[in-house]
Amino acid sequence: MSDTPGPSDSLARSSRRELAAYFLLAFGFTWLVHASFVLFDIRFSLAFGEPGMLVYKLGLLGPLLGSVAVTGWTRGWQGVRELLGKALRWRFGWRWYLVAVGTVPCLYVLNLLLFHGSIPHGYACFVFPLAPILGQAWVVMAEEFGWRGFALPRLQYLFGPVGAALLLGVIWASWHLPMFFVPGSPQHGSNVLADFTSYVYGMTCFTVVMVVLYNRSGGSVLVGMLFHASLNIAAYVIRIPASIDITNALVGAMALMALWWMPRPWFGRGGAVPGFASGGKRLSSSSRGFRHGPPTGDR
């Protein structure tokens, strides 16, 4: 038997190297910029034009810059065009648009309806902060090309769809870690360990759904942007009193249901990944990794 590495071994090695370089750049840039809040005593803000808002939004560019830099270095301008072009993949089934835009708001509203009688009189359940809502366009463009466009297909090739979801959920949450120490930020709370643990759980559950959306849309970053924006806007707009908040339970149930739509096998290297190309060979949903599980004819 020959010990010569095969094409799959070469693809796995190159994917690991690219992921290592990407995570180093994405984390390094974001953590360095967001450290400015503590180092220079900058007050966090989401108001337009405030220094805190500018520092926060600048730091979010880590995933975008990292993915473009590594792609450009390894695959040239054509690779960068393909990466950015994933945001233009809009031809997929209408049901996945509904899932992307409506899932999280529906969970939040369901939470309110289940405990409607327990909501304090006069409590404003819906607010519409303009700056955070409008700022989602920047947020999703800064993050999604990196997390879903670059990292997810490589992680999925190496570890399978569920393995990739679990890893990327933890990594994505950890990338936000500096903001847990910045008063006024969406992640800041009174107990960093408990808050971060809950955050990792939530982000991992959301990532499971986003992996399904990525695969069912044929490798679209647009669908990830829509889900990400909907997730953040729902968190800003729909306020749930802490005494009736069962969001974590609902989000966990959502992730478990999403597993049905995951391609099989759930774990392991070498399955097909939509839109993932290396060395001129494109891995598509027609390959063996997508022959099991629910039908996908409505893309």
Side-chain angles (χ1 to χ4, degrees), residues 133-248:
I133 292 174
L134 295 179
Q136 291 313 304
W138 176 277
V139 172
V140 299
M141 286 191 291
E143 292 192 42
E144 286 306 309
F145 286 110
W147 302 129
R148 253 56 63 176
F150 184 91
L152 175 57
R154 289 164 175 80
L155 288 172
Q156 193 171 192
Y157 176 75
L158 291 172
F159 303 106
V162 176
L166 297 177
L167 284 170
L168 188 55
V170 174
I171 293 169
W172 187 21
S174 300
W175 175 77
H176 288 85
L177 185 59
M179 302 312 298
F180 283 82
F181 300 93
V182 179
S185 73
Q187 291 80 25
H188 185 261
S190 58
N191 188 324
V192 172
L193 180 59
D195 293 339
F196 181 68
T197 301
S198 177
Y199 193 75
V200 169
Y201 163 81
M203 297 292 269
T204 302
C205 290
F206 290 130
T207 302
V208 170
V209 178
M210 297 178 85
V211 171
V212 172
L213 290 171
Y214 179 87
N215 288 328
R216 298 290 162 172
S217 65
S220 171
V221 168
L222 172 62
V223 74
M225 290 179 172
L226 293 175
F227 184 90
H228 193 163
S230 174
L231 164 64
N232 288 349
I233 291 173
Y236 284 118
V237 170
I238 306 174
R239 300 175 59 203
I240 304 175
S243 59
I244 66 169
D245 190 353
I246 60 167
T247 302
N248 280 345

Side-chain angles (χ1 to χ4, degrees), residues 95-109 226-227 230:
R95 73 170 65 180
W96 304 115
Y97 279 102
L98 294 180
V99 171
V101 174
T103 298
V104 177
C106 285
L107 289 181
Y108 283 24
V109 171
L226 293 175
F227 184 90
S230 174

Side-chain angles (χ1 to χ4, degrees), residues 205 208-209 250-261 266:
C205 290
V208 170
V209 178
L250 295 175
V251 166
M254 170 199 68
L256 289 175
M257 289 188 290
L259 290 175
W260 168 252
W261 296 100
W266 282 355

